[in-house]
Amino acid sequence: MTTRKIPKKPPLAEVSIIDRQDQTEDLTLMWIEKPEGYQFKPGQYCTIGHDGVERAYSIASSPHEKYIELFIELVPLNEGGVLTPILWGLGKGDKVTIRPRAKGIFTFKEEKSHQLLVSTVTGIVPYVSFIRNYLESDRSGHKFYILAGASYSDEFIYDKEFIELSEKYPEFIKFIPSVSRPDEEKNSGWSGSTGRVNNIIEDKINELKLPPDDTMIYACGNPDMIEDVKNRVTPLGFGFLEERFWKDD
Ligand SMILES: Cc1cc2nc3c(=O)[nH]c(=O)nc-3n(C[C@H](O)[C@H](O)[C@H](O)COP(=O)(O)OP(=O)(O)OC[C@H]3O[C@@H](n4cnc5c(N)ncnc54)[C@H](O)[C@@H]3O)c2cc1C
């Protein structure tokens, strides 16, 4: 009788939280230790946990950075959140578990010159890694257009970084944040784009003169936004890639 070898599961590593910086009441940036030898491609996600509860988080940092940077939105307990209310009680020096391998196919598709990166709130995370890695690798030849949607302007947590980059590299980075509730008090003084990113996507494609045969459109975050963007852009002949952070109920 032949015995089949069962592959050994690599042990779950425990890593420390290096820092946590709350951005709003329900948005936080967290840096965690990177286990030795941990590898990932920009756009992939890690799986972290606490007390046996594990969830996926896209990685904002670039592979060359020392720590793993995460941008997390709290789903409160009364809205069904499980791990995020636990994470909100943790801080610098506390431990989380991390699965040994990063996963995901929502990665940079270099074959297209134009890269339209569409997100809602935390959905911007993979693009932060794409662009940091692209700049670090000293590459050229691509154009990145970051179309970031949120209800309120204080939810564009990476706006400072992307505005600075778009000023430094105007020929290949364009940052287009859009608020969906422009009339609300919290958005007073907002002078950028308005409207949900899915509703303004065709206008942006036209303004930017994006050629369908040489443009990759990515959509990440809210599943309703992704579904709508997909339905609008795929009939136009654009390449399309998606990462849904949660499922519709
Ligand atoms: C590939 C992948 C990458 C992800 N990357 C990130 C990331 O970078 N940042 C991040 O904050 N989350 C990310 N998520 C979502 C994350 O895995 C968790 O689902 C989320 O943090 C909530 O965890 P929870 O345990 O508190 O609630 P869960 O038990 O996971 O979910 C509770 C309920 O809330 C819904 N839900 C989950 N997230 C949200 C949300 N943001 N807004 C509204 N409803 C939501 C779920 O569908 C479910 O109905 C990612 C998910 C996937 C699949």
Side-chain angles (χ1 to χ4, degrees), residues 26-28 43-46 53-60 69-77 79-88 103-104 106 121-126 220-223 243-249:
D26 57 4
L27 294 174
T28 200
Q44 286 194 305
Y45 64 88
C46 59
V53 183
E54 294 180 302
R55 296 288 183 268
Y57 292 97
S58 294
I59 302 172
E69 180 175 329
L70 306 173
F71 174 29
I72 303 178
E73 176 163 9
L74 172 69
V75 180
L77 274 174
E79 290 172 27
V82 185
L83 183 62
T84 51
I86 297 175
L87 292 177
W88 251 248
K103 292 197 172 158
F106 192 76
V121 193
T122 48
I124 199 156
V125 166
C220 183
N222 180 312
E243 183 85 290
R244 297 180 189 221
F245 278 2
W246 69 97
K247 288 194 177 76
D248 273 330
D249 292 325

Side-chain angles (χ1 to χ4, degrees), residues 176-204:
I176 313 162
S178 184
V179 298
S180 59
R181 300 181 189 178
D183 301 330
E184 291 203 20
E185 176 79 37
K186 253 178 105 177
N187 283 326
S188 64
W190 177 254
S191 58
S193 284
T194 58
R196 287 176 186 268
V197 283
N198 44 307
N199 290 333
I200 60 172
I201 190 141
E202 290 103 332
D203 291 346
K204 297 298 169 193

Side-chain angles (χ1 to χ4, degrees), residues 92-112:
K92 197 171 172 171
D94 289 325
K95 303 269 187 198
V96 290
T97 58
I98 183 164
R99 294 236 158 199
R101 272 186 275 280
K103 292 197 172 158
I105 53 165
F106 192 76
T107 51
F108 177 49
K109 305 299 173 212
E110 60 182 295
E111 53 278 13
K112 308 279 182 179

